Amino acid sequence: SDLGSSEQVSQLLADREFLLEELRELGNVWSRYSLALCMLETARSHNERERQPKLIQTASEFFKNITRSRYTGLRIPAGESKVLAVTADGEIKPADQLSRGTREQMYLSLKMGAIQENSDQTLPVIVDDALVNSDPGRAGAAAEGIARLGATNQVLVFTCHPALVGQFQKACPDAEVQKLDPARATE
């Protein structure tokens, strides 16, 4: 008597079958949407990796070299203006998640990429203590990248750090070094 009439049990079983069928249909719809989303994300990721503007591709190479492949490049997501760093593990990091030194290296890479991609205008390149927040390894790699710009542009580097002078001299042995007299600077 507690289970109710067979008519109630039959109705509950019918309701159950109806709900199970509805769940199967919704699961199929969800699967199609999930697959479509995955395909769109894959296509977008491929596009961001393979079809970036030439400036970003060039800047990515500089960034990869400066960071000694800890970061493999830079990306600009479709429809956005922010630049993202890509780690060797494929992790995407916005600039605010990078250390100060790495963020400065990213911006330096973008500037160097812009200079190289606009090499039809051989304007002088002025670098003023751009590597002070870089460790010696990265500073050396950046100095090598900046020195390569000397093939197409006049490059002027200003620094008050003797170690950075050494990095640039190593990267470009033919570079002319001018030491400014601090006493004359106050006149």
Side-chain angles (χ1 to χ4, degrees):
S1 68
D2 289 343
L3 292 175
S5 70
S6 63
E7 189 176 298
Q8 286 177 322
V9 171
S10 295
Q11 183 60 43
L12 289 173
L13 288 173
D15 289 349
R16 179 177 181 262
E17 286 304 314
F18 174 78
L19 292 172
L20 285 172
E21 184 57 33
E22 187 177 21
L23 183 61
R24 277 188 215 93
E25 287 176 21
L26 290 173
N28 286 335
V29 169
W30 177 85
S31 294
R32 285 193 298 269
Y33 283 130
S34 182
L35 181 60
L37 179 62
C38 182
M39 291 171 67
L40 284 171
E41 287 173 351
T42 300
R44 181 179 182 170
S45 178
H46 174 77
N47 185 55
E48 288 174 0
R49 274 192 323 273
E50 305 298 325
R51 306 217 186 276
Q52 289 290 305
K54 185 71 173 146
L55 184 149
I56 297 299
Q57 292 174 7
T58 302
S60 289
E61 281 303 309
F62 278 118
F63 192 57
K64 180 179 179 181
N65 292 336
I66 289 172
T67 62
R68 307 244 168 159
S69 297
R70 180 164 181 213
Y71 291 88
T72 58
L74 302 170
R75 284 196 203 160
I76 297 179
E80 297 183 28
S81 60
K82 63 182 176 182
V83 179
L84 306 172
V86 182
T87 68
D89 297 334
E91 183 182 352
I92 306 293
K93 290 187 173 186
D96 62 356
Q97 289 183 3
L98 302 174
S99 69
R100 179 178 178 175
T102 303
R103 191 170 44 248
E104 288 177 5
Q105 293 154 9
M106 181 176 79
Y107 296 137
L108 177 63
S109 296
L110 289 166
K111 290 175 186 175
M112 291 176 14
I115 291 165
Q116 189 170 348
E117 289 309 311
N118 293 303
S119 60
D120 57 325
Q121 301 175 11
T122 55
L123 298 172
V125 177
I126 300 172
V127 180
D128 187 7
D129 266 338
L131 307 176
V132 295
N133 292 311
S134 298
D135 63 60
R138 287 187 178 188
E144 290 170 8
I146 292 170
R148 280 193 297 276
L149 288 177
T152 56
N153 298 74
Q154 178 184 20
V155 179
L156 304 171
V157 178
F158 295 94
T159 186
C160 62
H161 301 278
L164 290 177
V165 172
Q167 295 280 16
F168 280 101
Q169 286 178 312
K170 183 179 176 186
C172 187
D174 296 338
E176 183 179 331
V177 176
Q178 297 290 323
K179 293 183 181 184
L180 301 178
D181 182 6
R184 288 185 58 197
T186 59
E187 293 176 359

